[in-house]
Amino acid sequence: MTDLPAGWVECRLSDAAEINPSLDRCPFPQNGPVHFVPMQAVEAATGRMDVSTTRPYAEVRKGYTAFVPGDVLFAKITPCMENGKMAVVPDLAHSVGCGSTEFHVLRRREGVCPVYLYQFVASQAFRLEAEHNMTGAVGQKRVPTAFLTDHTLPLPPLPEQHRIVAKIEELFSELDAGQASLTRARAQLALYRQSLLKAAFQGHLTADWRAVNPDKVEPPETLLPRIRKERETRYKQALDDWQTALSEWRAGGEKGRKPGKPERPGEIELSDKHADIPRSWLYVLVEGLLAEPLSNGRSVKDRVGGFPVLRLSAFRNGRLDLTESKAGAWTAEEAAPWIVKEGDFFAARGNGSKHLVGIGALAAGVGTSVAYPDTMIRLAVDRKVVDPEYFATVWNSRVIRDQIESAARTTAGIYKINQPHICGFAFPLPPREEQEVILERIIPVLSQIEYQEAEITTAIARISALRQSILKKAFSGQLVPQDPSDEPASALLSRLRATASTPKTRRKIPA
């Protein structure tokens, strides 16, 4: 670090703080309470920690990290370190605390402000450098003690440390207020979206349309038999086409892929779900809305130059991003049964978050050949019965979302849904014409909501960047003016190093 202001010095962190110091635990009563701080008690990126939990000292005296007020806790393990789980230990009613062994403890030396020390090690710039110096296996990587010991720290005079901290807290307080306002606005948009979708899928949004279009509102008594008859007619036609294709294949010497026999679509059945919907609507099981049986994708290994297969990251705001693919170890012919088609809908089979399992995406504007993997389930809806866009919008609303989260089961930390779950979900089905009216009314509003949410996300990202800019200025001496009357940090550093070279005595825990 160069170009520091006059009166500042550059030192090692271990000059300014003891790294993982010891405590003399003998005087502390065995049955006395101490504060207990597991990793989850320290919030990410806020500096807040919960010290309300206590345990008898005898339970935690071994196997845990001890700390006292004013210490800086620094999460050393991934991903806690990258997420910013650092904090200054506040005043403790019981004088001492014990916590996760995945914390490094930095105990500031006399003449160093603990909050200044915290802001430095919690900054994104420091965490990025710490990430690059982690050691250990993937998933268990840790920041080594040596990294903290040897890392440089820009050290201003003590009075300037306090001025810097006060300015940081002032500016961060303003940013916190702005971010809280944006977060509330995002929550309100989410509530508005759900309110809109609830009105749409309970029929309230199109009540006026039904009133002036009675000829297009077919009662269930005739709608359901008509749908069943049309589906049976289409299935018989598909069988005839298959017989013709099969005969031609045999006559041609059985070259190429053998035509596959069409499978009968699932019977459209009413759901026993009771809901407040218009009389002309049906609540049906999803299985009955499919033109083809559900199909899981295929697992395939990577191979340079192979046929492309989607990644799970292709799910993007209800749409399938066909560019999110990798090369698979199969040919185009081998991949043929799993090719994505226009209007196909896909659901994610599993996810580590219950709120993300089963999310759906519609394949629209398909202009390239790509297959889908075993992490996805394909739903080919009967377009004569349900508009694919309408199906996708209902699927990603609370109507289906609640059913997914209720059905999902967890194995080894992964929530999953399967084909029987999907087949049994209850789906609100208005007449085909009314589906189009619903889409005409909600799509523009949903697009505006998405735009506003994107603007909020961008604004929050700017706030985060501004925080880091403030910290960069703080640790380069540009945030507050220097005071020539302050004792230079070189004198402070001399005392710090003298203290560090003094034979160590364990700090006693008050009895």
Side-chain angles (χ1 to χ4, degrees):
M1 201 170 290
T2 58
D3 300 325
L4 293 176
W8 287 44
V9 293
E10 189 175 80
C11 66
R12 297 194 311 166
L13 263 177
S14 54
D15 290 328
E18 293 182 76
I19 311 299
N20 298 321
S22 299
L23 290 175
D24 182 2
R25 308 183 184 206
C26 297
F28 201 76
Q30 291 292 308
N31 295 323
V34 295
H35 300 270
F36 183 71
V37 179
M39 184 63 71
Q40 59 266 31
V42 177
E43 289 186 9
T46 67
R48 291 189 288 267
M49 61 185 295
D50 180 4
V51 296
S52 61
T53 300
T54 60
R55 288 189 181 181
Y57 174 61
E59 289 185 10
V60 297
R61 64 182 303 271
K62 294 182 179 179
Y64 291 95
T65 299
F67 50 82
V68 294
D71 285 351
V72 176
L73 299 187
F74 181 95
K76 62 173 120 171
I77 193 167
T78 188
C80 300
M81 190 284 295
E82 295 94 317
N83 293 338
K85 281 182 171 276
M86 294 91 188
V88 178
V89 178
D91 290 338
L92 301 175
H94 302 294
S95 305
V96 70
C98 289
S100 170
T101 56
E102 299 297 352
F103 287 123
H104 282 305
V105 176
L106 287 72
R107 181 164 301 143
R108 59 100 182 191
R109 300 186 192 278
E110 193 68 32
V112 177
C113 174
V115 181
Y116 178 85
L117 191 62
Y118 157 76
Q119 293 289 7
F120 180 74
V121 299
S123 69
Q124 189 176 66
F126 186 89
R127 285 185 280 127
L128 284 173
E129 194 170 347
E131 182 181 359
H132 293 148
N133 284 273
M134 281 180 151
T135 59
V138 175
Q140 291 291 314
K141 300 185 79 172
R142 293 175 174 85
V143 177
T145 302
F147 170 78
L148 295 178
T149 299
D150 296 331
H151 198 283
T152 57
L153 170 75
L155 186 67
L158 180 58
E160 188 170 348
Q161 293 177 41
H162 289 300
R163 293 196 299 272
I164 289 171
V165 167
K167 190 62 176 180
I168 290 175
E169 292 178 344
E170 175 192 341
L171 296 174
F172 277 20
S173 179
E174 295 174 2
L175 294 178
D176 288 343
Q179 184 163 336
S181 178
L182 290 169
T183 301
R184 286 193 299 270
R186 184 161 56 187
Q188 290 169 355
L189 284 173
L191 289 174
Y192 178 50
R193 175 195 281 112
Q194 294 307 323
S195 177
L196 173 69
L197 295 177
K198 182 177 180 180
F201 303 139
Q202 289 186 348
H204 304 317
L205 198 63
T206 45
D208 60 331
W209 179 86
R210 290 192 301 275
V212 299
N213 292 278
D215 57 317
K216 297 180 180 179
V217 180
E218 188 176 4
E221 292 81 3
T222 60
L223 174 61
L224 193 55
R226 180 178 63 78
I227 291 175
R228 286 171 173 162
K229 183 178 179 180
E230 290 177 352
R231 287 162 67 88
E232 184 63 24
T233 299
R234 291 197 298 275
Y235 173 63
K236 289 180 179 179
Q237 182 61 54
L239 282 177
D240 291 342
D241 293 342
W242 169 70
Q243 290 285 3
T244 301
L246 186 63
S247 297
E248 293 175 350
W249 177 74
R250 287 170 176 164
E254 300 185 356
K255 295 180 180 179
R257 180 180 292 275
K258 181 179 180 181
K261 182 178 181 180
E263 297 187 56
R264 181 184 294 276
E267 174 63 31
I268 187 164
E269 296 183 10
L270 297 180
S271 167
D272 59 2
K273 180 180 177 70
H274 299 288
D276 180 20
I277 58 175
R279 185 179 178 278
S280 57
W281 289 33
L282 300 171
Y283 240 109
V284 301
L285 300 182
V286 165
E287 182 179 19
L289 300 177
L290 305 178
E292 303 172 19
L294 291 170
S295 171
N296 290 1
R298 176 184 165 185
S299 175
V300 59
K301 295 181 179 180
D302 297 356
R303 186 182 69 192
V304 176
F307 193 83
V309 59
L310 291 173
R311 303 176 189 271
L312 194 57
S313 57
F315 287 85
R316 297 282 179 84
N317 297 322
R319 285 289 186 273
L320 206 62
D321 183 353
L322 301 181
T323 66
E324 278 290 309
S325 64
K326 61 181 181 178
W330 54 358
T331 64
E333 185 177 8
E334 291 170 331
W338 295 277
I339 295 295
V340 175
K341 301 173 186 175
E342 180 72 24
D344 280 351
F345 185 81
F346 294 87
R349 293 177 60 193
N351 198 282
S353 169
K354 194 173 186 178
H355 302 300
L356 294 177
V357 61
I359 58 170
L362 182 67
V366 177
T368 184
S369 292
V370 62
Y372 58 97
D374 64 331
T375 54
M376 301 181 185
I377 301 176
R378 173 177 172 265
L379 293 80
V381 300
D382 186 342
R383 303 182 199 187
K384 294 286 186 178
V385 179
V386 60
D387 185 298
E389 187 77 48
Y390 175 81
F391 183 90
T393 308
V394 175
W395 184 277
N396 286 320
S397 74
R398 295 311 310 180
V399 173
I400 300 295
R401 189 73 243 155
D402 290 343
Q403 298 180 69
I404 290 174
E405 293 180 12
S406 176
R409 298 293 179 266
T410 179
T411 304
I414 302 297
Y415 288 93
K416 295 181 179 180
I417 59 169
N418 55 34
Q419 292 189 12
H421 289 149
I422 292 175
C423 289
F425 291 154
F427 191 95
L429 184 69
R432 191 66 167 73
E433 294 85 353
E434 191 169 354
Q435 296 174 32
E436 296 173 2
V437 176
I438 291 172
L439 291 174
E440 289 174 0
R441 295 186 177 186
I442 66 173
I443 293 301
V445 181
L446 292 176
S447 296
Q448 183 61 29
I449 290 174
E450 288 179 5
Y451 172 78
Q452 293 177 357
E453 288 177 331
E455 289 290 296
I456 289 173
T457 299
T458 300
I460 290 176
R462 286 174 182 158
I463 287 176
S464 178
L466 187 54
R467 290 182 196 275
Q468 299 311 312
S469 177
I470 289 169
L471 292 176
K472 183 178 180 180
K473 287 181 177 294
F475 300 120
S476 61
Q478 302 176 57
L479 190 63
V480 298
Q482 282 73 50
D483 186 342
S485 66
D486 289 341
E487 178 190 50
S490 56
L492 170 60
L493 180 59
S494 296
R495 291 196 299 274
L496 293 175
R497 286 176 172 167
T499 302
S501 63
T502 302
K504 294 183 179 179
T505 56
R506 289 190 173 186
R507 177 169 175 174
K508 293 188 175 183
I509 301 173

